[in-house]
Amino acid sequence: MPPPSDIVKVAIEWPGAFPKLMEIDQKKPLASIIREVCDGWSLSSPESYALQYADSTNFYITEKNRNEIKNGAILRLAATPAQTAQGLHERIQSSSMDARLEALKDLAKHSRDITFAQEFINLDGISLLTQMVESGSDFGDMLSFTLTAFVELMDHGIVSWDTFSVAFIKKIASYVNKAATDVSVSQRSLAILESMVLNSYDLYQKVAQEITIGQLMPHLQGSDPEIQTYTIAVINALFLKAPDDKRQEIANILAQKQLRSIILSHVIRGNRTILTEMAHQLYVLQVLTFNLLEDRMMTKMDPQDQSQRDIIFELRRIAFDADLEPSNSGSIEKRKSMYTRDYKKLGFINHVNPAMDFTETPPGMLALDNMLYFAKNHQDAYIRIVLENSSREDKHECPFGRSSIELTRMLCEILKVGELPSETCNEFHPMFFTHDRSFEEFFCICIQLLNKTWKEMRATSEDFNKVMQVVKEQIMRALTTKPNSLDQFKSKLQNLSYTEILKIRQSERMNQEDFQSRPILELREKIQPEILELVKQQRLNRLCEGTCFRKISSRRRQDKFWYCRLSPNHKVLHYGDQEENPHGEVPHESLQDKLPVADIKAVVTGKDCPHMKEKGALKQNKEVLELAFSILYDPDDSLNFIAPDKHEYCVWTDGLNALLGKEMMSELTKNDLDTLLSMEMKLRLLDLENIQIPEAPPPIPKEPSNYDFVYDCN
């Protein structure tokens, strides 16, 4: 018979003794179990001992986490967390340099355990570490381990970041500013500065005074990819926490220091693969840069503001009379009539007062800014588009003004201008790092595409929305190829003509064709359960392969991972922490924690997840909410996930629902079902190609008068 669920079989080690095999009764107090272990080895004072895992983590076992002990676990009898903390607290103050170095190395390792961290912090250990840093007497490995221990202890969220002195901030900043600082010290210092800025506005102000963008630039030009990542993370943090009125100022400084070209040369076009965390930081920088456009996007034009009206006059002047200005010729009515005619040619909706076209937000004044940039920096293309359309009399003219306003709104939607960066997204576009005015250049390429597509569609004003839909599809398809430069993006669009889009649509329609005749529908219904079972098996197989999930805290994004996979018999979920993102499958034997599928009560998503209710910062992020799901199990506990992307989210929620015998409801299941059904239908109907399938079955003939027509072989 299997052992009761409350009994766990483990091995317990003690230095100098043979390991002890033991059955732990989870109903017993932990103190009683430790007493039994001590008695077996004739050790006195059992209250001086504790149990910890004998793996690389060395995490202590407490009443809170004891339920995580699994059969076959190897434990170690060790000094209590309080004693270990006290011992390390004394050892790191030793007069011997070697002893201090060893103590700090042990402290950096132990600090990852929250049980130990709590005890060390209770001894005012954080203050001791900050004093050691402020004294400036440590350097090299000693300083590196000191800062590592500090980062690990602070990551538990026990101590507030607001408690640190200006002297400590100055010292950390000095390690970043020094060119000859040890690599690991620079990494830890940058990580500390990032956390300070993200977790406290008061500290943001102090850090901003101590460190300048110019001092961070040499780190980006170095060869260490981790330091480059941390450097961009600090720049992003300063950018994100800056008051609205300071962000443009920071952007101007970044432009002066040529941040974009340095990132392009030393990071994006460097000879190294861009890792996940670097991709995320580049994505955040891209989002924060485009969010600077939000102010103009949400600013309405004031029809009475002469300086704003002058921009519209300039658009008209460049297009129609670059050499002649009729302001002093003819009557006022004649000039008004001329302006009205020209504004109509420019494609504004309001010909009399085009300023009214820019009173809707978004895109507000941003559309006018884009139009002026196009007119001044791509003058030949601007004049050609305007004159080409203004001279047409066949109602096929493309309204430049209206198109520019709608296109600007569309580009803001595509690039999510004004939205906070997601904690999980890594999707950055290299081409936006190739130009200082990348959004404006992006607009200039797209407005020329719009004019080209308009002509290819032979569109009229009634087709305006159809044209915009086609243009959006062209832009989105080109962006998914991740072009490395704006020129590459332009050439991708050249290949995506309206004719090509029609071919792609036709191909997709053929692949998803849904025959409506009754026999076909009946066949579809008959084979649908078989296809659904196939999708279900694929989801369960993917769960058996497993997925690596990132741990995300409300304090800062962390490079910590955990892996989860389903057992081959579909009865147990195995999961456990990982030091780094694994490449390939992780064997379920190496994952210490288990959750029986029979214990699962329900699967919840989004706002219903416990970790979304707890963490306010994550709760506000729409993208994280869309990727969050939790498994609720006995007793009232949960296993919380944030999927790396929407595809993995659908796979896992589908797979878990399939395990529980519930319907798979994701969009991915719907798409897979449609695709597989369509393929299966076409395969089964291959022999009926070009044969008309009747709506109703043919009538059954009457029975014959006799059955003498059977052929006798003999």
Side-chain angles (χ1 to χ4, degrees):
M1 286 181 63
S5 58
D6 294 323
I7 302 296
V8 185
K9 293 183 177 182
V10 299
I12 302 178
E13 297 177 344
W14 172 250
F18 286 110
K20 186 187 292 289
L21 294 176
M22 187 173 178
E23 290 187 353
I24 291 179
D25 186 350
Q26 292 286 36
K27 290 180 180 177
K28 274 188 177 181
L30 195 58
S32 300
I33 295 168
I34 293 171
R35 188 178 297 110
E36 283 181 31
V37 175
C38 290
D39 290 345
W41 278 313
S42 303
L43 299 173
S44 58
S45 305
E47 66 277 1
S48 302
Y49 297 96
L51 289 174
Q52 63 180 183
Y53 288 103
D55 57 14
S56 58
T57 64
N58 292 331
F59 285 178
Y60 279 99
I61 292 163
T62 64
E63 291 291 355
K64 286 184 179 178
N65 66 19
R66 62 181 294 178
N67 288 327
E68 296 174 9
I69 303 174
K70 304 301 175 187
N71 279 311
I74 302 174
L75 310 181
R76 181 188 296 124
L77 191 65
T80 62
Q83 287 178 322
T84 306
Q86 183 66 51
L88 284 171
H89 193 273
E90 293 168 3
R91 285 170 57 202
I92 62 176
Q93 300 178 73
S94 168
S95 56
S96 165
M97 295 288 282
D98 291 340
R100 281 177 63 197
L101 180 61
E102 284 304 312
L104 286 166
K105 191 183 292 186
D106 289 344
L107 178 62
K109 183 174 71 174
H110 281 292
S111 296
R112 289 178 294 174
D113 182 5
I114 191 168
T115 309
F116 168 85
Q118 185 69 67
E119 296 293 345
F120 189 78
I121 289 168
N122 290 343
L123 296 171
D124 214 12
I126 293 281
S127 296
L128 178 58
L129 292 178
T130 55
Q131 288 166 20
M132 290 168 65
V133 172
E134 287 173 20
S135 69
S137 57
D138 293 342
F139 52 88
D141 286 345
M142 197 170 289
L143 179 58
S144 174
F145 287 125
T146 304
L147 295 177
T148 301
F150 176 84
V151 170
E152 295 290 354
L153 290 167
M154 290 303 297
D155 269 350
H156 295 299
I158 299 168
V159 179
S160 169
W161 283 93
D162 287 307
T163 56
F164 299 108
S165 65
V166 174
F168 179 71
I169 297 168
K170 284 179 180 288
K171 203 69 186 175
I172 296 296
S174 72
Y175 297 139
V176 172
N177 295 337
K178 283 180 188 172
T181 307
D182 182 77
V183 170
S184 59
V185 171
S186 293
Q187 287 177 4
R188 303 295 177 271
S189 301
L190 287 164
I192 291 168
L193 290 179
E194 182 201 2
S195 293
M196 284 179 170
V197 172
L198 290 177
N199 287 283
S200 166
Y201 180 70
D202 186 43
L203 284 182
Y204 154 74
Q205 292 178 307
K206 291 173 182 175
V207 170
Q209 290 171 358
E210 295 301 324
I211 198 156
T212 64
I213 301 296
Q215 289 163 331
L216 292 171
M217 290 302 158
H219 294 299
L220 284 175
Q221 294 169 304
S223 58
D224 189 281
E226 282 196 49
I227 287 183
Q228 289 178 327
T229 304
Y230 280 120
T231 302
I232 297 177
V234 171
I235 292 170
N236 286 339
L238 291 168
F239 216 146
L240 191 61
K241 289 297 176 180
D244 292 343
D245 56 335
K246 290 277 185 185
R247 285 185 186 171
Q248 189 59 56
E249 187 181 319
I250 292 175
N252 294 337
I253 294 170
L254 293 176
Q256 289 170 10
K257 300 295 180 182
Q258 297 185 316
L259 172 72
R260 179 197 58 75
S261 57
I262 289 172
I263 288 175
L264 185 66
S265 304
H266 293 88
V267 179
I268 296 174
R269 292 181 179 171
N271 295 323
R272 292 183 298 272
T273 304
I274 293 177
L275 300 177
T276 305
E277 184 59 24
M278 174 61 88
H280 172 73
Q281 295 300 340
L282 291 173
Y283 152 77
V284 172
L285 182 60
Q286 174 185 294
V287 171
L288 294 176
T289 304
F290 285 140
N291 280 356
L292 293 170
L293 303 168
E294 185 182 11
D295 183 50
R296 293 295 282 173
M297 181 181 79
M298 301 309 293
T299 301
K300 294 181 180 181
M301 184 171 187
D302 180 4
Q304 307 305 318
D305 188 322
Q306 188 57 44
S307 62
Q308 294 180 2
R309 291 168 65 87
D310 286 344
I311 298 174
I312 297 175
F313 291 148
E314 181 68 4
L315 288 173
R316 180 199 158 276
R317 185 193 67 77
I318 293 171
F320 299 116
D321 50 2
D323 302 318
L324 298 171
E325 183 53 60
S327 56
N328 297 321
S329 60
S331 65
I332 294 173
E333 282 73 18
K334 186 176 180 182
R335 288 205 304 275
K336 277 187 177 180
S337 171
M338 186 183 296
Y339 283 141
T340 301
R341 184 196 66 206
D342 289 349
Y343 292 145
K344 183 178 180 181
K345 289 179 179 179
L346 277 168
F348 290 113
I349 297 171
N350 192 319
H351 309 146
V352 178
N353 186 7
M356 299 304 294
D357 287 13
F358 301 95
T359 55
E360 186 180 342
T361 59
M365 287 295 291
L366 184 60
L368 189 58
D369 295 342
N370 283 340
M371 292 167 73
L372 184 64
Y373 181 90
F374 181 51
K376 286 190 169 182
N377 293 277
H378 300 269
Q379 197 171 104
D380 290 344
Y382 167 70
I383 293 172
R384 176 177 54 77
I385 287 174
V386 173
L387 296 184
E388 186 179 90
N389 287 291
S390 64
S391 60
R392 300 185 73 162
E393 298 295 335
D394 55 1
K395 295 185 180 181
H396 289 289
E397 68 276 1
C398 175
F400 173 74
R402 183 185 175 191
S403 299
S404 298
I405 293 167
E406 194 56 40
L407 179 64
T408 302
R409 181 188 288 109
M410 181 200 293
L411 298 184
C412 289
E413 285 175 8
I414 290 171
L415 299 176
K416 298 181 180 178
V417 174
E419 291 186 22
L420 284 173
S422 163
E423 283 279 3
T424 56
C425 186
N426 309 317
E427 297 294 316
F428 77 98
H429 292 281
M431 72 176 191
F432 291 129
F433 290 87
T434 62
H435 202 285
D436 289 326
R437 302 290 293 274
S438 57
F439 183 80
E440 289 86 346
E441 288 294 323
F442 186 43
F443 168 84
C444 294
I445 293 170
C446 293
I447 192 66
Q448 294 177 74
L449 167 74
L450 194 154
N451 186 64
K452 173 174 168 282
T453 303
W454 186 284
K455 288 190 290 185
E456 289 172 349
M457 292 177 69
R458 291 193 54 78
T460 63
S461 56
E462 287 81 11
D463 302 317
F464 185 83
N465 290 333
K466 289 181 184 176
V467 175
M468 296 309 297
Q469 287 171 6
V470 173
V471 170
K472 185 173 184 177
E473 187 174 342
Q474 290 170 313
I475 294 169
M476 294 299 288
R477 288 185 183 277
L479 284 177
T480 54
T481 63
K482 292 287 184 70
N484 289 318
S485 66
L486 290 163
D487 286 338
Q488 273 191 26
F489 174 68
K490 197 171 182 178
S491 66
K492 297 279 184 190
L493 291 176
Q494 290 293 332
N495 297 328
L496 284 170
S497 63
Y498 176 57
T499 307
E500 186 62 28
I501 291 291
L502 285 180
K503 285 180 184 175
I504 293 170
R505 285 180 175 180
Q506 179 67 18
S507 172
E508 289 177 352
R509 198 177 298 118
M510 289 291 289
N511 289 335
Q512 299 172 2
E513 195 172 43
D514 188 14
F515 303 103
Q516 295 302 316
S517 64
R518 201 176 78 185
I520 301 298
L521 291 175
E522 287 176 0
L523 176 61
R524 186 184 178 92
E525 285 177 17
K526 186 177 177 181
I527 64 176
Q528 183 162 324
E530 180 187 329
I531 300 296
L532 203 54
E533 182 62 27
L534 188 66
V535 174
K536 176 183 171 181
Q537 288 304 319
Q538 188 273 339
R539 297 292 189 267
L540 293 176
N541 289 340
R542 276 290 291 107
L543 263 60
C544 290
E545 291 172 14
T547 302
C548 185
F549 298 93
R550 183 184 288 276
K551 286 188 175 181
I552 297 177
S553 74
S554 58
R555 299 184 298 284
R556 68 184 181 95
R557 181 182 164 95
Q558 298 180 345
D559 288 320
K560 294 182 180 177
F561 303 90
W562 67 287
Y563 199 89
C564 187
R565 61 177 297 178
L566 181 65
S567 63
N569 63 4
H570 299 173
K571 290 185 177 180
V572 180
L573 281 170
H574 299 264
Y575 62 97
D577 291 346
Q578 299 289 308
E579 290 296 320
E580 55 186 22
N581 194 347
H583 299 289
E585 290 183 29
V586 175
H588 61 261
E589 297 86 1
S590 66
L591 301 172
Q592 293 184 346
D593 302 310
K594 297 177 185 176
L595 172 59
V597 172
D599 289 351
I600 298 176
K601 287 182 178 178
V603 176
V604 294
T605 60
K607 292 180 180 177
D608 297 326
C609 296
H611 58 317
M612 291 296 103
K613 293 174 183 174
E614 292 168 8
K615 297 175 180 176
L618 290 178
K619 190 177 175 184
Q620 295 169 7
N621 195 312
K622 183 183 173 187
E623 286 196 42
V624 171
L625 270 176
E626 290 175 351
L627 297 174
F629 62 98
S630 296
I631 297 173
L632 307 182
Y633 61 92
D634 294 324
D636 295 329
D637 210 342
S638 62
L639 187 61
N640 300 317
F641 300 75
I642 294 177
D645 52 50
K646 194 69 179 174
H647 182 271
E648 287 296 321
Y649 169 85
C650 292
V651 166
W652 273 84
T653 51
D654 282 345
L656 291 170
N657 281 324
L659 276 177
L660 300 178
K662 296 182 179 178
E663 190 177 350
M664 299 183 292
M665 302 291 290
S666 77
E667 192 66 28
L668 183 64
T669 291
K670 183 178 178 297
N671 292 338
D672 287 352
L673 188 62
D674 286 346
T675 303
L676 292 170
L677 267 175
S678 177
M679 288 171 62
E680 183 67 18
M681 296 282 286
K682 286 177 181 178
L683 286 170
R684 294 196 181 197
L685 297 174
L686 272 177
D687 293 338
L688 298 180
E689 195 171 359
N690 298 324
I691 295 175
Q692 184 70 34
I693 300 173
E695 282 295 322
I700 299 172
K702 292 179 181 180
E703 287 192 20
S705 56
N706 63 68
Y707 292 88
D708 296 340
F709 51 81
V710 176
Y711 180 74
D712 186 355
C713 295
N714 297 324

